[in-house]
Amino acid sequence: MPVIEVTSLHKRYGETVAVADVSFDVEAGEIFGVLGPNGAGKTTTVECVAGLRVPDGGGVSVLGLDPRRDAARLRQQVGVQLQESQLPDRLRVAEALQLYASFYRDPADPAQLIDELGLDSKRNTPYDKLSGGQKQRLSVALALVGNPRIAILDELTTGLDPQARRDTWDLIERIRDRGVTILLVTHFMEEAERLCDRLAVIDKGRVVALDTPAGLVSAVVPEQRIRFRPSVPLDDRLLTDLPQVSAVTRSGSQVVVTGTDDMLHAVTSVLARHQIIAADLRLEQATLDDAFVELTGRRLAD
Amino acid sequence: MHAFGQILKTEAKLHLRDIPTLVLTVALPTLILVVLGLIPTLREPNPDFDNQSFVTYFTPSLLVVTLAMVAVNALPTVLATYRERGILRRLATTPASPLALLAAQLVLALVGILASAVLLAVVARVAFGTPLPQHPLGFAAALVLGTAALLAVGLLVAAVAPTAKSAQALAVPVFMLIMFFGGVYLPRFLLPDFLADVGAYTPPGVQALLDAWTGTAPHPLHLGIMAVIAVAAGAAAAKLFRWE
């Protein structure tokens, strides 16, 4: 049974259509990604899920409740980390968590949460003295302090350095392991590929694909490429005769073989039979990035 | 209730950590009073002011400084900053209401104003022999209504200003008008009668404060106007206020 159901969501700001038609379900316990370029309608979509905005059309149901009508009940169970949401400069880490803990009926222990998020040495540090990564972790902590069943995290790692980004990803996985369902908004491919069980690719206010990251890649870019340098001259027909291979091209001294994702064994078997050694052999698989370009016709700008 | 208590406590701590603003809002009128009081002629009784000293005559106007600083300057700046930085929006995603934060800010503004008024009255009494407000009930009424009117104007500034910078920019002319009509820039006896009269009806209603301080019951019309301004500006602020 899905914990979040979005059905034909539509939202306009004046004449501008932010979300044209978005539908997806999020299952309990999964990390569900909403991926798309800036301005695709990702944030508006999750803001409707969080009850911060009223949809102009379609339906949103969270834990079987209406985010607007049952706002008071949902706020106890849904933690939200917003994009570009800050805290007062002089507020200290421990004070912020204590403050937010006081809002909930059954809050987590602030001290333990601070410890878990690696902020223990910063508990008395004012907000404006925290690094970007520390601010982000505090923001995640505030989203979790109410012991929510669902956490909505918007552009969690934007502006973080690579190390802080990886640490945050570890953190998200630990949160999921505690049984929290996570709705993650991102425009980083690597993040989506690493974290998400399933994801919806949104472009121009519409869902253009919805699948697991691997499923998305193989559905959109089913072919693989093998590159190698043969030890002796190679007759292309040896390879083009294989049913798994669709094309063979040359790039300098390199042979580039394109084919289905189970062609590697067939190709290496043929080479072995003819005692050809494949030097510098590389298998190139399509990435989510390639799939995204196929889907939307452009690359995600960082 | 637990949440409101925690918000109030946290906001109080934040205010206490902002020492410059705290000194400026709570102690500034008293500092001005002390500086003026160091000039001997200003301490002597003067027929221009019903045989009061200038220092005594000017004390209620100094109260206007605090009222204007807190209500029209500090309050809208804090609220606009909180909105600009997404603090109000973030609060809206929790079971706590941003209204609780607004209420906490108003409570703290009132506490700051009262602390400043008490400090001013006590220092004026002890150092310069200015009598304490002679009509305590009338003075309390004038102070409460005048403060309410100014806080409502401050909320209106916070409501219409999109950013902290624009809130400050908007606050400056309002602040200056309040100080001018409150007789802070020019003592009111130097103002033409017409302008001095206007000052009786602009928040915080310095005439009512002055009357009550010297022992006359404040004019009901003066108090009534303050109540009307408080309700009207408050209602407009409530209608226009945006959490984001």
Side-chain angles (χ1 to χ4, degrees):
Chain A
M1 153 121 186
V3 291
I4 300 174
E5 292 169 276
V6 176
T7 323
S8 306
L9 181 70
H10 184 83
K11 177 74 189 170
R12 286 183 301 270
Y13 301 119
E15 292 294 295
T16 320
V17 175
V19 176
D21 183 3
V22 166
S23 303
F24 60 83
D25 288 351
V26 180
E27 299 294 331
E30 71 176 342
I31 301 183
F32 188 90
V34 176
L35 180 74
N38 290 327
K42 307 183 298 281
T43 294
T44 303
T45 300
V46 297
E47 281 176 347
C48 289
V49 174
L52 285 169
R53 295 191 188 284
V54 191
D56 293 317
V60 178
S61 160
V62 180
L63 298 169
L65 301 171
D66 178 320
R68 296 299 293 190
R69 224 184 33 241
D70 308 308
R73 279 172 73 191
L74 274 180
R75 280 178 197 146
Q76 288 285 350
Q77 306 187 63
V78 180
V80 182
Q81 188 266 152
L82 294 167
Q83 208 179 330
E84 286 163 15
S85 170
Q86 298 175 302
L87 290 171
D89 281 341
R90 290 185 180 84
L91 189 62
R92 295 173 187 163
V93 170
E95 289 170 349
L97 276 162
Q98 238 152 39
L99 176 65
Y100 273 65
S102 77
F103 302 160
Y104 297 91
R105 269 197 298 273
D106 177 30
D109 176 15
Q112 196 188 333
L113 206 51
I114 288 175
D115 211 27
E116 265 182 67
L117 295 190
L119 289 168
D120 201 34
S121 62
K122 300 285 168 195
R123 47 186 313 121
N124 289 318
T125 306
Y127 183 76
D128 65 343
K129 296 283 188 292
L130 296 175
S131 72
Q134 290 160 350
K135 283 179 181 168
Q136 207 63 279
R137 271 182 281 158
L138 175 57
S139 186
V140 175
L142 294 181
L144 296 178
V145 75
N147 269 328
R149 289 174 63 191
I150 299 174
I152 298 176
L153 308 172
D154 191 358
E155 298 284 356
L156 194 60
T157 59
T158 302
L160 296 189
D161 62 63
Q163 183 57 46
R165 189 170 292 162
R166 285 201 172 73
D167 290 346
T168 310
W169 292 345
D170 289 341
L171 172 66
I172 302 306
E173 282 173 334
R174 287 206 302 277
I175 295 163
R176 191 259 307 273
D177 293 343
R178 289 169 27 168
V180 180
T181 305
I182 294 169
L183 180 59
L184 182 80
V185 175
T186 184
H187 68 272
F188 288 122
M189 287 297 165
E190 206 190 338
E191 185 164 295
E193 210 157 15
R194 154 86 192 265
L195 282 179
C196 297
D197 298 309
R198 291 190 307 135
L199 49 93
V201 178
I202 296 189
D203 188 35
K204 301 192 183 90
R206 290 175 196 280
V207 175
V208 291
L210 202 162
D211 206 336
T212 61
L216 250 175
V217 173
S218 60
V220 178
V221 197
E223 299 207 309
Q224 293 188 332
R225 269 199 302 267
I226 300 172
R227 286 173 184 273
F228 62 92
R229 221 161 12 82
S231 55
V232 293
L234 169 76
D235 182 358
D236 284 1
R237 268 177 309 179
L238 282 180
L239 297 174
T240 49
D241 284 350
L242 292 169
Q244 294 93 338
V245 171
S246 58
V248 176
T249 56
R250 304 267 172 173
S251 163
S253 63
Q254 278 195 331
V255 178
V256 182
V257 189
T258 310
T260 56
D261 54 11
D262 57 350
M263 73 166 165
L264 181 63
H265 180 69
V267 170
T268 49
S269 301
V270 166
L271 295 176
R273 261 204 310 282
H274 293 82
Q275 287 165 0
I276 300 168
I277 296 165
D280 300 337
L281 182 125
R282 271 213 320 271
L283 177 66
E284 291 176 356
Q285 275 176 309
T287 62
L288 200 50
D289 224 355
D290 300 322
F292 189 84
V293 174
E294 284 293 318
L295 282 167
T296 66
R298 58 207 145 110
R299 211 156 267 284
L300 269 187
D302 245 25
Chain B
M1 202 53 223
H2 176 48
F4 178 71
Q6 194 71 36
I7 289 176
L8 188 61
K9 191 175 122 190
T10 307
E11 288 301 320
K13 275 191 201 166
L14 292 177
H15 276 88
L16 288 174
R17 278 177 201 154
D18 187 1
I19 304 287
T21 308
L22 196 67
V23 169
L24 217 58
T25 48
V26 176
L28 186 66
T30 305
L31 290 174
I32 298 174
L33 177 76
V34 169
V35 170
L36 292 174
L38 291 175
I39 303 165
T41 32
L42 298 183
R43 291 203 301 269
E44 282 159 17
N46 185 321
D48 278 348
F49 319 123
D50 297 333
N51 285 323
Q52 298 169 314
S53 69
F54 174 78
V55 166
T56 295
Y57 168 84
F58 197 53
T59 300
S61 282
L62 284 173
L63 204 48
V64 175
V65 178
T66 294
L67 290 171
M69 293 283 288
V70 173
V72 184
N73 233 327
L75 179 70
T77 305
V78 169
L79 289 178
T81 305
Y82 277 17
R83 181 175 44 208
E84 194 179 354
R85 305 185 70 180
I87 293 167
L88 297 177
R89 213 160 104 76
R90 170 114 210 197
L91 215 52
T93 69
T94 72
S97 162
L99 268 177
L101 183 66
L102 200 61
Q105 294 294 344
L106 287 175
V107 168
L108 291 170
L110 271 174
V111 169
I113 286 167
L114 279 181
S116 176
V118 168
L119 183 67
L120 183 72
V122 168
V123 170
R125 174 77 187 84
V126 172
F128 308 111
T130 302
L132 293 176
Q134 297 296 291
H135 199 295
L137 253 170
F139 185 74
L143 187 62
V144 167
L145 287 171
T147 302
L150 265 193
L151 286 175
V153 170
L155 286 179
L156 190 56
V157 169
V160 296
T163 64
K165 271 206 168 65
S166 61
Q168 275 165 337
L170 199 59
V172 169
V174 178
F175 181 77
M176 288 173 72
L177 283 175
I178 287 166
M179 300 277 270
F180 178 73
F181 286 113
V184 181
Y185 293 141
L186 277 178
R188 293 177 71 237
F189 75 95
L190 291 176
L191 295 178
D193 285 351
F194 164 70
L195 288 180
D197 280 349
V198 171
Y201 301 103
T202 55
V206 70
Q207 188 62 50
L209 287 170
L210 194 64
D211 288 346
W213 203 308
T214 53
T216 322
H219 200 294
L221 181 62
H222 293 165
L223 294 184
I225 295 277
M226 289 312 123
V228 168
I229 291 174
V231 171
K239 197 161 170 53
L240 296 171
F241 200 86
R242 295 287 172 265
W243 300 115
E244 53 184 279

